[in-house]
Amino acid sequence: VSGNAAAAPEGADVVDESAIERIAIVGMSGRFPGAADVGGFWSNLCEGVESIRPFTPAELAAAGADTSDPNWINSGAVMDGYDSFDAAFWGMSRREAELTDPQHRVFMESAWAAVEHAGYDASRYGGRIGVFGGVAANTYFRTNLQAHPDLLARVGDYPLLLATEREYAITRTAYKMGLTGPAVSVNTACSTSAVAVHLAVASLLSGESDLALAGGARVRVPTTAGYVYHEDGILSADGHCRAFDADARGTIAASGVAIVALKRLSDAIADGDTVYATILGSAINNDGSAKIGYTAPSIEGQAAVIEEALDVAEVDAGSIGMVEAHGTGTSLGDPIEIAA
């Protein structure tokens, strides 16, 4: 993401940025634990608000939480309103909405909000709008729908498949919003949203899309059950996340959704859009087997993709003033990321 670039180091090549097509972020939407929108999320960051919290006895009872395990942790990060949905607005029956994975629903709502935040009406937009993103595994089906086999039998396998499989969240969004650009379901685990942005950028640069939405959603159901800590896992031992801290002891799984609306910078300027930031370049790779384990990151792999992104952007590393990190909050992942 661009900022005020520092002066080029003496002897460095000076790039004619007017000859390079950049990508503008023209709209944003999101819902997060403790924040109903992007503005609330930013305020929480500025004020140091921890949106992880313990659950009340009533919340635990409603979630059917098993608190008997000695390693059970009463902690979580809940996105409010995931279970509220205006079915009629989306042309869905109440039954269809009830069957549909909440992750599909919040992704659709956030996609609409991102287009609106960019200042557009999808139904009247003059170009092609693409959508790239993904959702997590469907916990709603396992914890809610499977408890009603009679209902599932009446509904039938095919409608249930469309309502619950993660692959259909993105094409459902394109269908309900009338989007005619690419609709691509992305699933690369923790990097899904970032990879979606990378693919959206490529779609814009190739001319496949004129406006592109990219992001992801996760709704973990039940939302207030806490979790069981495992010594060899990534989840926090004490219910808090302390990224890049000597006391880092693990991360916290949470629910949330976030989507950005992207355009070619030249088009955004010509159309008078608000440009919140510009993407100068992006890259993706994989670190293969050159690391200590499947779930561990690799210094060499991360360093290589950073170098590639710098090359694509044609900017000098010395001009970077801020780095936003993954920040796992684990004693293994954080040092590797900093080293990379």
Side-chain angles (χ1 to χ4, degrees):
V1 176
S2 72
N4 293 322
E10 187 175 348
D13 294 333
V14 177
V15 177
D16 179 10
E17 293 197 6
S18 64
I20 304 171
E21 182 65 88
R22 307 299 196 182
I23 300 299
I25 299 176
V26 297
M28 299 177 285
S29 70
R31 289 157 56 188
F32 313 91
D37 53 31
V38 172
F41 184 60
W42 177 249
S43 295
N44 286 348
L45 290 173
C46 292
E47 297 170 12
V49 174
E50 182 184 25
S51 295
I52 300 166
R53 65 176 180 86
F55 302 122
T56 67
E59 288 176 321
L60 294 171
D66 180 5
T67 63
S68 61
D69 192 300
N71 291 319
W72 174 77
I73 306 295
N74 182 21
S75 187
V78 179
M79 177 184 69
D80 293 330
Y82 77 91
D83 52 352
S84 299
F85 183 70
D86 188 347
F89 176 84
W90 292 98
M92 298 169 67
S93 68
R94 178 176 177 179
R95 175 56 53 83
E96 183 183 6
E98 289 174 340
L99 290 172
T100 301
D101 183 355
Q103 299 179 131
H104 293 214
R105 304 196 303 247
V106 299
F107 190 95
M108 289 163 51
E109 291 171 328
S110 193
W112 182 283
V115 174
E116 197 171 63
H117 187 248
Y120 292 103
D121 177 347
S123 66
R124 296 189 291 178
Y125 187 72
R128 289 178 295 182
I129 301 178
V131 55
F132 303 79
V135 302
N138 185 348
T139 57
Y140 177 75
F141 177 81
R142 184 177 70 248
T143 59
N144 287 52
L145 297 184
Q146 279 190 328
H148 303 281
D150 54 334
L151 169 62
L152 302 185
R154 291 197 305 270
V155 169
D157 291 341
Y158 187 58
L160 189 63
L161 179 75
L162 297 180
T164 58
E165 288 294 324
R166 61 166 61 174
E167 289 81 4
Y168 299 116
I170 310 307
T171 48
R172 183 191 300 277
T173 299
Y175 170 67
K176 291 296 186 180
M177 293 180 62
L179 311 182
T180 58
V184 180
S185 177
V186 183
N187 179 15
T188 59
C190 301
S191 62
T192 292
S193 294
V195 171
V197 170
H198 175 80
L199 297 177
V201 166
S203 181
L204 288 164
L205 293 177
S206 71
E208 289 178 337
S209 301
D210 301 299
L211 177 68
L213 305 175
R218 182 180 191 271
V219 178
R220 176 176 174 266
V221 180
T223 59
T224 60
Y227 62 92
V228 175
Y229 166 72
H230 297 282
E231 186 173 352
D232 296 328
I234 64 169
L235 294 179
S236 170
D238 62 2
H240 299 278
C241 185
R242 304 177 180 86
F244 303 115
D245 191 297
D247 293 328
R249 302 184 65 190
T251 191
I252 294 287
S255 298
V257 56
I259 295 178
V260 291
L262 310 174
K263 286 180 72 173
R264 292 178 288 272
L265 179 59
S266 58
D267 291 343
I269 293 172
D271 295 339
D273 297 321
T274 299
V275 176
Y276 297 95
T278 53
I279 298 174
L280 306 184
S282 65
I284 58 175
N285 74 350
N286 187 64
D287 44 30
S289 58
K291 52 186 182 178
I292 64 172
Y294 172 60
T295 60
S298 157
I299 294 176
E300 292 76 17
Q302 289 192 15
V305 79
I306 293 169
E307 184 176 18
E308 184 180 351
L310 287 169
D311 288 343
V312 171
E314 298 188 13
V315 297
D316 187 272
S319 69
I320 295 175
M322 185 186 76
V323 175
E324 182 176 355
H326 180 196
T328 62
T330 64
S331 58
L332 173 66
D334 288 354
I336 288 176
E337 187 171 21
I338 287 295

